[in-house]
Amino acid sequence: MAKVEANRPRAVVCLSGGMDSTVCAALAARDYDVYAVHFGYGQRTEARELRSSQDVARIVGAEELLHLKIDLFRRIGGSALTDHTIEVPVAAADESSIGSEVPVTYVPFRNAHFLSAAVSWAEVLGAQTVFIGAVEQDSSGYPDCRPAYYEAFNQLINMGTKDGDIRVVTPLIAMRKSEIVRLGVELGAPFHVSWSCYSGETEACGVCESCVLRLRAFREAGAVDPIPYAVARPVD
C-alpha cells in the first residue's frame, strides 16, 4: 500500500498475523507510518504466525517489523496455545456458546505483556499511538479483550511513561467479525497471507474456535476466505 503523504505520524501496531490484526494494520497504514511488532511466545503456530506477520507488514508498507521472543508463557504454561500437554479443543457444535466462558486457549494476562513492550517501543520511536486488533464481539471471551481493560491500561500508560501521551487504540473492539471482514475487503487488507488457526501450520484446521469464528465471519460478510482449510465446517 503506497504512502499518501510525507511526514506522517508514527504508530506501533501489534501484529499477530491473524485476521483482526491484519485489518488493524491495514487501517493504521492509511494514516500512519506503521512500525509493527510481532511476538513469538512459544505458541503452537509460532513459525506460521511469524511468516504471516512478515507478509502482512510487507504488503501494508510497514517501516519495520520488530520480532520479539518471549519465553515466559511457554514456561508458565496453563494454555492450550503454549502447553502441548493441553489439547486445542474443537469448537462447540452450538456456536452461540462460544465466548460464554474463558476457554483453555486463553494465555494468562498475555496482552499486558504485549502492550507493555509495544508502549516501550512507541516511546523510543516518538509514536503516540499503539494499535491492537482486540475484538469483544463474536470472540472467544478473553478477558484482556474488553474495552474496560484498555481504558485501564491507558491510565497506566499516562502514569508510567515519560510524557504520558501514548494511547492504545482498539478500532475493531466493538465490531462483529463479519464487519471486520467487510472493512478488510474495503481496505484491501491482505487476508490471503493472514493466519488465525490455533493448531495448523500448513492448512488451517477449520474446527478450532478461531477457525470457526473466522469462517463464519467470511460467510456472513458474503466473502470467500482465501486461506486453505483441512476441514471447512459449515457455519450457520
Side-chain angles (χ1 to χ4, degrees):
M1 296 182 182
K3 301 288 193 301
V4 295
E5 61 181 84
N7 301 318
R8 303 191 307 168
R10 294 176 171 183
V12 173
V13 177
C14 295
L15 183 60
S16 70
M19 182 183 87
D20 303 324
S21 76
T22 294
V23 174
C24 205
L27 187 63
R30 293 192 312 181
D31 303 310
Y32 296 86
D33 285 340
V34 168
Y35 289 78
V37 57
H38 175 77
F39 298 92
Y41 56 95
Q43 66 269 44
R44 289 173 182 266
T45 56
E46 182 172 0
R48 186 63 184 82
E49 289 180 27
L50 174 59
R51 189 161 82 249
S52 286
S53 295
Q54 290 169 331
D55 288 341
V56 171
R58 172 180 52 81
I59 292 170
V60 304
E63 301 292 330
E64 185 177 346
L65 173 66
L66 178 64
H67 177 214
L68 295 180
K69 294 278 287 183
I70 300 176
D71 191 45
L72 64 95
F73 295 118
R74 181 190 62 79
R75 296 180 66 184
I76 290 171
S79 168
L81 298 191
T82 57
D83 186 339
H84 286 260
T85 67
I86 304 173
E87 292 187 7
V88 174
V90 171
D94 178 10
E95 290 166 15
S96 65
S97 68
I98 295 176
S100 59
E101 58 183 35
V102 179
V104 72
T105 50
Y106 166 63
V107 180
F109 213 50
R110 181 188 65 180
N111 284 355
H113 296 266
F114 290 179
L115 290 173
S116 294
V119 170
S120 292
W121 196 28
E123 275 206 284
V124 172
L125 292 170
Q128 294 181 326
T129 308
V130 173
F131 282 81
I132 187 168
V135 177
E136 184 178 39
Q137 304 293 321
D138 294 342
S139 70
S140 294
Y142 298 148
D144 54 0
C145 286
R146 297 178 293 197
Y149 176 88
Y150 294 96
E151 292 169 9
F153 205 93
N154 277 327
Q155 292 180 29
L156 177 65
I157 294 169
N158 182 58
M159 296 298 295
T161 54
K162 183 174 63 176
D163 296 324
D165 57 355
I166 300 169
R167 300 287 295 174
V168 174
V169 296
T170 55
L172 311 181
I173 201 162
M175 298 176 69
R176 295 181 62 86
K177 290 279 192 179
S178 59
E179 293 173 322
I180 295 169
V181 171
R182 292 188 189 102
L183 175 60
V185 170
E186 178 187 331
L187 293 168
F191 286 130
H192 64 290
V193 298
S194 66
W195 198 256
S196 303
C197 184
Y198 286 152
S199 57
E201 294 196 77
T202 303
E203 293 180 312
C205 72
V207 295
C208 69
E209 281 191 2
S210 186
C211 282
V212 168
L213 289 169
R214 175 173 172 145
L215 283 165
R216 184 173 70 187
F218 272 88
R219 180 171 181 263
E220 290 178 350
V224 176
D225 190 342
I227 70 169
Y229 284 88
V231 177
R233 189 171 92 175
V235 289
D236 297 324

